[in-house]
Amino acid sequence: MKPRKIIAGNWKMNNTRAQTRELIENIIPKAENAACEVVICVPFTDLETAVNLTHTGNIRVAAQNCHFEKSGAFTGEISVDMLKEIGAEYVVIGHSERRQYFGETDVTVNKKVVAALESGLSVIVCVGETLDEREQGITREVVARQVKIALIGVKSLENTVIAYEPVWAIGTGKTATDDQANEVCAFIRETVKDIYGESAASGLTIQYGGSMNAKNAAGLLAQPDINGGLIGGASLKAEDFGVIIAACTL
Ligand code: PEP
């Protein structure tokens, strides 16, 4: 089975409700005839607006984080059932900014992945090495560890997407070369194959993320093991996001 191609825009902590409305209205025509699935990963406060504006089109809505407990004394957190109820279909888990600034660990990533999948959400699990780890030559060890721990207890990969996001490329304007990005994505597929077998691995959507933009998207998305992108900065501009969506062919 061939993987679904998915272009996802990670808005991070950007866009009020009014800005969300305007950006989505501009993205809708770009996504209309897309060959890939289009996902927008919006702040919690924009979820309802995003769901209402996209429910008839082919744009899916994602949250950028969740908690792994069902409910309780976890001030400031949002449960997977709350996300389901509001109409989100995906949740991004383990983004490097959450690992870096908010104490996310491989273990909490795993708990969130399990909770989200159990609730019926799809997950985009982010993995990737820091510059220091790349320079030490341990990219594969780091990525394999992140992938394996994230997937503990996950029986089927049907609703799982993995995003390879080298930390040194996120928001820095430094993109991995087509070959560098494809090499690690292929390695992730091999790692998954060892656990889930050939058919699950070959059907898994693996995205690249890290300063993907309107200029470099076509080269990255043409790589055999890259099945889409997770895009930060460039997803905030409908024109650029539209070019990236158009570059994601079957
Ligand atoms: C991201 O936020 O996941 C990301 C890849 O950001 P950027 O495209 O801005 O590097």
Side-chain angles (χ1 to χ4, degrees), residues 150-164:
L151 298 179
I152 290 171
V154 173
K155 291 195 179 62
S156 154
L157 295 181
E158 209 180 321
N159 296 320
T160 298
V161 172
I162 294 184
Y164 167 56

Side-chain angles (χ1 to χ4, degrees), residues 10 12 95 97 165 169-171 209-212 230-233:
N10 176 19
K12 313 195 189 204
H95 191 280
E97 286 153 14
E165 298 211 302
I170 296 178
S211 298
M212 189 185 279
L230 182 55
I231 299 106

